[in-house]
Amino acid sequence: MPKQINVALIGNPNTGKTSVFNALTGLNQKVGNYPGITVDKKEGICKLPRGVKAHIIDLPGTYSLNASSLDENVVIELLLNKNDKDFPDVAVVVSDVENLKRNLLLYTQIKDLEIPTILVINMSDRMEYKGIQLDIPYLEKELLTKIALISTRKNKGIDQLKALIANYKELSITPCLNASEIDNTYFDKLRKAFPNQLLYKLWLVITQDVNFGKIDRNQIDAIDSFKTKSKADLKRLQQKETIKRYQFINNTLKKGQTIDLSSAKDLRIKLDRILTHKVWGYLIFFTILILMFQAVYDWATYPTDFIDESFASLADWVKDTLPDGAFTNLLAEGIIAGIGGIMVFIPPIAFLFLFIALLEESGYMSRVVFLMDRIMRRFGLSGKSVVPLISGNACAIPAVMAARNIESWKERLITILVTPFTTCSARLPVYVIIIGLVIPEGSFLGLSYKALTLMALYIIGFLTAIFSAYILNKILKIKSKSYFVIEMPSYKIPLFKNVALTVIEKTKTFVFEAGKIILAISIVLWFLASYGPGEQFNNAETIVRTENASLSEVDLDDKIAAHKLEHSYIGIIGKAIEPAIKPLGYDWKIGIGLVTSFAAREVFVGTLATIYSVGSAGDNEDTIKSKMAAEVHRNGEKVFTLASGISLLLFYAFAMQCMSTLAIVKRETNSWKWPMLQLASMTIIAYLAALIAFQFLK
Ligand code: GDP
Ligand code: MG
């Protein structure tokens, strides 16, 4: 007897698989990816009676074993591959009591694979409300299995389910209907040709166009040569199979289930009417969006600032306590600052996913999709893209993660690729200082030019996102099914446990997956800014002191910091790119700012403060502003003019300039291809926009 039982949770979307999974595993779970594709793989451990342990997988939702999407392939590939280490000893089909008929189709198919199968009928708490009654012993007899009637919401029946899993060996593995009756001659031939194979498995391999990479190659070739029927004939047979299954299910439910319609209430109908209303629907949705936006943008700043300050003090403390030297600097300015840079994203991620989980759990999200889908689809997006696009105005990181709710891979990818165009809050410090510097005083229709410019930047960001989506939709050749959800789940009070687990899981994913990349890049950037080759860098202090003997200690320190940065590796890079950015109106000092601000856009201001040697006073916006206003090129012309200012604003509006976004896109698309393409194309767009603006305005 194996020490661990492999259990696979299978079922239609929204039947409560994940809730059952959470109920069984609690916090003993982890989320990864299936190799090569971006479908979440959730697994966990459940302790059963008598010390037995079960390894549980929460498989993606699937309507049947006739695959039509990536998610569904995952399920079939696992069920057809006995050698997979996750191959289930027992399949647990989760169904929901309100949609038993549809749910049972999948159940009968799995039963044909002769895997011990337990039927879970979830949401039993809804039975009374819906007037549903079930004859469980009868259903068990007809469906040839054991049934657990449970409610994860009310925490009922979970122990019974655990007991059934522990005793899975007692389950019958006989199919509950004879599907081969749809074409006896054909199936007899099949049976004779492959006497050692499971008939239904053969049938699935013959009828599916999926990639059965994991199944023995020879076998597939043999089966391929057996495709004596045309595609159309096979399709017809498949339909016959489905009809046959539904006949069986209908007959079973006729006796096993009674529904008393009169007791079903019509609250849902009323709510639907309001929430998908042509006027109220949008109004309510946008109110909720604004609240969400507010949460990520405003409320999250308190814990974010706190984390930011704590890491800054920690870095100071390390510097004061440990002996001076390279290691202390690496620790304080590289590692601690880098980890701080990851941690500051936790509050926005947590807040956004708190809201999203609430919306999903309550059943409201499906109404939003219904409402927004028609508009968004024109741009190649999904109704669910609204959430990432709006959240992107606070921060692209949680926004990109929120795209995970979009089922169609193409729509999801497009959403991920265009979201960073929206104006995240890290752009604000750059915008504010440049606008303050170069946009003239004056007003138009009561709005100051400065405010109008800021507003224009937000609008440009949003429109660019939408427009790019439109283009990407035309040029990306990705086949992926985009569903239109016809069936809407019923409304529910969100389960706290599900919401909490979503928030924890998203935060963990970010910290541990994207965090690695962010930390690595920040250490590299730190190194480039803190070290440099040659005399000028290494003897910065002596050089500055001899040249500026008359300056005060504080001013000297600032000058030294500026001198060091100028001659560090990053300074050298900044100078090296000067010819390339000159046509945009920038000098090498701005070049250094562009390079360092790849860590995060707001770093631009801090870098300028150092390079203009206002370091310690750099927190004071006026000091740095007056310094910037006085900056001149070698030929005496001002550096920050309307032309170069607008050019910079546009550069920051379009360029990706954020290693954390890069890291999360890598994690969410599971490849370096998309983040690199995104980085390259956004930089090119930014460069061209800045170039045109400067050349036109100068
Ligand atoms: P999955 O898509 O199959 O993984 O389903 P989820 O576990 O995400 O659940 C879908 C929805 O059903 C969520 O809104 C859950 O809160 C809700 N749900 C899950 N179990 C129950 C239950 O026992 N009773 C009720 N009323 N709702 C439930
Ligand atoms: Mg789920």
Side-chain angles (χ1 to χ4, degrees):
M1 182 180 153
K3 263 186 260 107
Q4 250 190 27
I5 307 175
N6 265 343
V7 180
L9 292 178
I10 312 173
N12 295 5
N14 273 315
T15 51
K17 285 176 304 303
T18 303
S19 307
V20 173
F21 178 75
N22 290 344
L24 290 176
T25 60
L27 275 171
N28 295 319
Q29 46 173 272
K30 68 168 205 273
V31 184
N33 263 321
Y34 288 95
I37 48 169
T38 52
V39 176
D40 269 339
K41 177 178 184 178
K42 284 192 164 181
E43 37 193 342
I45 298 291
C46 168
K47 291 204 182 73
L48 298 173
R50 294 192 303 279
V52 186
K53 273 190 189 163
H55 168 252
I56 310 214
I57 306 191
D58 181 13
L59 287 170
T62 174
Y63 286 105
S64 70
L65 289 186
N66 312 327
S68 56
S69 73
L70 266 182
D71 292 24
E72 293 177 339
N73 276 358
V74 169
V75 179
I76 303 176
E77 284 183 8
L78 175 62
L79 291 180
L80 292 191
N81 183 11
K82 277 218 155 87
N83 299 325
D84 194 309
K85 69 171 184 8
D86 292 332
F87 183 81
D89 297 303
V90 51
V92 173
V93 173
V94 181
S95 64
D96 111 44
V97 72
E98 291 180 46
N99 297 296
L100 253 192
K101 182 174 154 188
R102 171 163 57 75
N103 293 172
L104 284 177
L105 177 72
L106 179 66
Y107 168 81
T108 63
Q109 284 186 313
I110 292 172
K111 201 75 170 101
D112 280 7
L113 289 174
E114 303 188 1
I115 299 171
T117 306
I118 297 169
L119 179 63
V120 166
I121 303 181
N122 187 24
M123 314 210 188
S124 62
D125 53 298
R126 307 272 303 162
M127 290 172 71
E128 193 181 346
Y129 177 76
K130 285 277 171 175
I132 301 174
Q133 282 178 330
L134 295 176
D135 182 347
I136 297 290
Y138 175 82
L139 289 175
E140 284 185 334
K141 196 172 105 248
E142 291 297 306
L143 298 172
L144 300 178
T145 189
K146 288 284 176 193
I147 294 179
L149 182 61
I150 70 169
S151 161
T152 55
R153 169 151 311 209
K154 296 263 148 59
N155 211 1
K156 277 197 181 134
I158 305 293
D159 287 336
Q160 187 209 349
L161 173 60
K162 285 185 184 169
L164 288 181
I165 294 175
N167 298 320
Y168 75 97
K169 293 213 163 142
E170 294 164 15
L171 296 168
S172 141
I173 53 165
T174 321
C176 47
L177 77 155
N178 185 0
S180 58
E181 275 175 10
I182 48 176
D183 188 338
N184 275 321
T185 6
Y186 179 73
F187 278 93
D188 277 345
K189 264 201 289 180
L190 254 186
R191 202 176 279 133
K192 284 213 187 83
F194 305 95
N196 299 324
Q197 285 293 339
L198 201 60
L199 197 59
Y200 192 60
K201 184 168 162 180
L202 288 170
W203 174 237
L204 281 178
V205 174
I206 290 172
T207 47
Q208 311 292 312
D209 274 336
V210 295
N211 166 26
F212 288 105
K214 291 181 193 155
I215 300 180
D216 185 7
R217 210 42 254 175
N218 298 329
Q219 218 174 304
I220 298 185
D221 290 343
I223 296 171
D224 267 345
S225 67
F226 203 80
K227 284 190 178 167
T228 51
K229 284 188 180 291
S230 71
K231 265 215 153 102
D233 280 346
L234 285 175
K235 265 255 126 51
R236 221 165 294 135
L237 264 187
Q238 254 187 320
Q239 281 160 4
K240 252 176 121 174
E241 178 200 338
T242 307
I243 294 171
K244 185 155 176 62
R245 290 186 189 280
Y246 271 127
Q247 276 170 352
F248 166 77
I249 295 167
N250 280 339
N251 282 335
T252 309
L253 288 183
K254 213 182 274 168
K255 273 207 196 147
Q257 178 189 48
T258 48
I259 301 181
D260 175 9
L261 277 178
S262 62
S263 61
K265 308 214 173 93
D266 62 353
L267 174 71
R268 172 187 165 153
I269 299 169
K270 276 189 200 150
L271 263 179
D272 269 354
R273 208 171 284 153
I274 303 173
L275 293 179
T276 58
H277 188 268
K278 266 186 256 155
V279 179
W280 303 124
Y282 290 102
L283 221 69
I284 295 172
F285 177 50
F286 281 104
T287 313
I288 293 177
L289 271 185
I290 288 170
L291 253 168
M292 249 168 79
F293 181 68
Q294 197 73 6
V296 182
Y297 195 88
D298 273 358
W299 305 344
T301 53
Y302 298 105
T304 304
D305 286 349
F306 174 75
I307 294 172
D308 206 16
E309 278 155 25
S310 310
F311 273 88
S313 337
L314 181 64
D316 284 346
W317 180 82
V318 167
K319 267 194 185 165
D320 292 345
T321 324
L322 295 185
D324 277 353
F327 174 74
T328 306
N329 281 341
L330 170 67
L331 192 63
E333 292 166 4
I335 297 177
I336 294 179
I339 294 177
I342 299 165
M343 296 302 164
V344 291
F345 286 113
I346 290 178
I349 291 175
F351 268 115
L352 184 67
F353 281 99
L354 175 70
F355 271 84
I356 291 182
L358 287 174
L359 296 187
E360 291 244 308
E361 277 281 304
S362 62
Y364 178 63
M365 200 57 113
S366 310
R367 276 76 187 174
V368 170
V369 175
F370 177 82
L371 202 64
M372 298 303 301
D373 221 61
R374 251 206 2 235
I375 306 175
M376 300 306 279
R377 208 161 285 290
R378 284 191 208 148
F379 304 104
L381 298 164
S382 129
K384 289 189 185 172
S385 309
V386 178
V387 175
L389 284 180
I390 299 291
S391 324
N393 285 293
C395 175
I397 316 292
V400 164
M401 293 174 81
R404 218 162 235 246
N405 292 327
I406 302 169
E407 287 89 357
S408 145
W409 167 236
K410 184 174 177 181
E411 290 166 2
R412 181 171 151 210
L413 179 64
I414 294 181
T415 309
I416 291 177
L417 292 180
V418 306
T419 293
F421 277 123
T422 55
T423 307
C424 70
S425 52
R427 285 177 172 96
L428 266 187
V430 182
Y431 285 177
V432 167
I433 205 149
I434 305 275
I435 288 178
L437 211 57
V438 304
I439 302 294
E441 297 294 338
S443 66
F444 177 72
L445 294 178
L447 281 169
S448 73
Y449 290 150
K450 293 182 202 257
L452 284 172
T453 311
L454 188 61
M455 207 165 85
L457 285 165
Y458 269 92
I459 296 173
I460 288 174
F462 195 78
L463 291 184
T464 311
I466 299 277
F467 181 69
S468 318
Y470 182 80
I471 307 265
L472 284 171
N473 185 35
K474 293 264 185 280
I475 59 175
L476 280 181
K477 294 271 168 285
I478 298 176
K479 263 208 249 141
S480 92
K481 219 167 121 171
S482 77
Y483 310 67
F484 190 70
V485 185
I486 320 151
E487 229 161 330
M488 295 202 202
S490 46
Y491 293 102
K492 297 176 186 95
I493 307 280
L495 276 181
F496 174 74
K497 191 169 176 184
N498 286 357
V499 174
L501 281 170
T502 304
V503 172
I504 293 173
E505 184 222 298
K506 290 288 170 186
T507 314
K508 248 174 45 188
T509 305
F510 172 78
V511 171
F512 293 109
E513 305 281 332
K516 285 185 286 207
I517 303 170
I518 300 175
L519 187 60
I521 301 181
S522 35
I523 290 178
V524 171
L525 282 176
W526 163 81
F527 175 81
L528 293 177
S530 317
Y531 290 88
E535 279 301 287
Q536 287 289 343
F537 183 86
N538 293 318
N539 291 334
E541 182 147 5
T542 341
I543 295 172
V544 174
R545 272 185 197 282
T546 33
E547 278 176 9
N548 305 283
S550 59
L551 283 181
S552 77
E553 229 7 72
V554 176
D555 287 347
L556 258 180
D557 278 351
D558 288 347
K559 268 264 182 320
I560 294 169
H563 192 85
K564 275 194 157 168
L565 185 57
E566 178 182 347
H567 295 283
S568 69
Y569 291 108
I570 260 185
I572 292 167
I573 299 175
K575 284 184 177 166
I577 63 171
E578 192 172 22
I581 56 176
K582 215 176 173 96
L584 314 186
Y586 315 154
D587 60 1
W588 59 269
K589 297 183 183 176
I590 298 181
I592 296 178
L594 293 184
V595 179
T596 54
S597 67
F598 183 68
R601 296 177 178 87
E602 70 269 24
V603 170
F604 181 72
V605 181
T607 302
L608 287 191
T610 309
I611 200 88
Y612 295 146
S613 57
V614 286
S616 45
D619 287 345
N620 185 341
E621 210 177 90
D622 292 334
T623 326
I624 167 115
K625 243 198 234 131
S626 56
K627 216 33 191 226
M628 286 168 78
E631 269 293 301
V632 287
H633 286 293
R634 281 165 216 125
N635 60 10
E637 280 171 25
K638 272 195 184 305
V639 171
F640 291 95
T641 58
L642 184 67
S644 66
I646 299 275
S647 157
L648 253 183
L649 288 176
L650 288 177
F651 187 87
Y652 274 95
F654 294 129
M656 194 159 173
Q657 285 301 79
C658 176
M659 62 176 175
S660 306
T661 309
L662 194 81
I664 199 67
V665 172
K666 151 77 176 58
R667 144 81 205 186
E668 291 295 301
T669 59
N670 213 2
S671 90
W672 278 109
K673 173 178 157 195
W674 296 112
M676 285 304 155
L677 272 175
Q678 190 177 26
L679 176 67
S681 43
M682 288 182 72
T683 310
I684 292 171
I685 294 172
Y687 186 88
L688 291 179
L691 179 71
I692 294 169
F694 181 72
Q695 295 301 331
F696 191 70
L697 289 171
K698 79 173 173 186

